[in-house]
Amino acid sequence: KEVNTEVGQEYPPGFHVIYLPFTDDIRSLDILTPMSTVSDDALNLATGLIKKLNLKKYHPANYENPGLQKHYANLQALALKKDTVDEINDQTLPKTEEIEKRAGKLLQSFKLEVLDGHELTLPKATSSKRKADRTTEGESKKAKTSTGFSTEYIKKIFNEEKLASLTIPILVEFAKSIGMKKIPKKKADLVSQVEEWFDMNK
């Protein structure tokens, strides 16, 4: 039980559960080679990196689950009958620019000390905006829309003549995934375009 003087109880009292492993999960590992050691300089550099990149005010409640946020965005688009699904802000992605600013020099020194001068580069920050997929006919059969429905699943719905049962956001995302340039706003026209595409790509 944890109580905050400002907001009251944060965590209610309860049991602390420890999950016991299965017998198959317990096994001995034979280490064939001796464990490698590092120099004191490398240890000092690693310690400095940890201190520089330590999140002093970290709380899991400040980082939303991107999978759930995407799910909620799809529900919102469905409820409000939107043609497109709003992009989400994935707060779990590393802030590479801030990492470079806070510990860039230490990272380079660590590279020289531990990696024998091999190049150590940070991953480039990717934009959250979705780019249109330009897939070939073979690739589009395995492609998935951002809503999580594969082309094979959409084709199954098409063969059952139930495309009209799909929501507009799903149809729009599928149209984008197959490279459709002009996407109709009306559902009936959109269904007709998708049906035409499947007829042409049998």
Side-chain angles (χ1 to χ4, degrees):
K1 179 178 180 180
E2 293 185 15
V3 179
N4 189 310
T5 55
E6 296 180 357
V7 298
Q9 179 176 277
E10 288 188 352
Y11 298 100
F15 292 103
H16 180 62
V17 178
I18 299 177
Y19 291 95
L20 298 177
F22 290 97
T23 304
D24 294 339
D25 294 333
I26 302 176
R27 59 188 184 276
S28 59
L29 298 177
D30 297 329
I31 302 177
L32 301 178
T33 57
M35 296 181 64
S36 59
T37 58
V38 295
S39 64
D40 292 337
D41 291 337
L43 287 175
N44 293 332
L45 287 170
T47 303
L49 279 173
I50 293 173
K51 290 180 179 179
K52 284 286 186 181
L53 301 178
N54 186 30
L55 298 177
K56 297 181 181 179
K57 297 182 179 180
Y58 170 79
H59 195 282
N62 296 332
Y63 297 87
E64 297 175 333
N65 186 325
L68 285 177
Q69 294 307 309
K70 186 64 181 178
H71 175 67
Y72 295 149
N74 289 330
L75 290 179
Q76 179 177 325
L78 177 61
L80 300 179
K81 297 182 179 180
K82 291 184 176 181
D83 293 335
T84 58
V85 180
D86 295 336
E87 294 291 342
I88 64 168
N89 180 23
D90 191 345
Q91 299 170 325
T92 62
L93 295 176
K95 299 179 180 179
T96 53
E97 294 182 0
E98 186 175 343
I99 293 174
E100 178 67 29
K101 183 178 179 181
R102 295 175 61 180
K105 293 181 179 180
L106 275 175
L107 283 170
Q108 295 305 320
S109 300
F110 187 79
K111 173 199 72 173
L112 294 173
E113 180 67 30
V114 178
L115 302 180
D116 296 328
H118 287 42
E119 193 62 30
L120 176 67
T121 55
L122 292 172
K124 295 182 179 179
T126 56
S127 173
S128 61
K129 294 182 180 179
R130 181 165 55 250
K131 296 180 180 179
D133 294 332
R134 296 180 180 180
T135 57
T136 61
E137 179 181 346
E139 293 172 339
S140 64
K141 292 181 180 180
K142 299 180 181 179
K144 281 189 177 182
T145 65
S146 64
T147 52
F149 295 98
S150 65
T151 303
E152 295 177 355
Y153 174 79
I154 305 294
K155 184 177 181 180
K156 178 183 177 182
I157 300 298
F158 164 75
N159 291 333
E160 295 175 355
E161 299 182 355
K162 295 181 179 179
L163 280 179
S165 64
L166 298 177
T167 62
I168 292 179
I170 294 175
L171 291 170
V172 168
E173 290 300 327
F174 174 73
K176 290 180 180 179
S177 70
I178 60 176
M180 190 179 295
K181 295 181 179 179
K182 295 183 179 180
I183 300 178
K185 294 184 178 180
K186 293 183 178 180
K187 184 174 182 178
D189 297 335
L190 186 56
V191 170
S192 178
Q193 290 275 17
V194 174
E195 288 177 344
E196 183 178 347
W197 184 86
F198 276 117
D199 288 334
M200 293 176 61
N201 292 275
K202 286 184 176 179

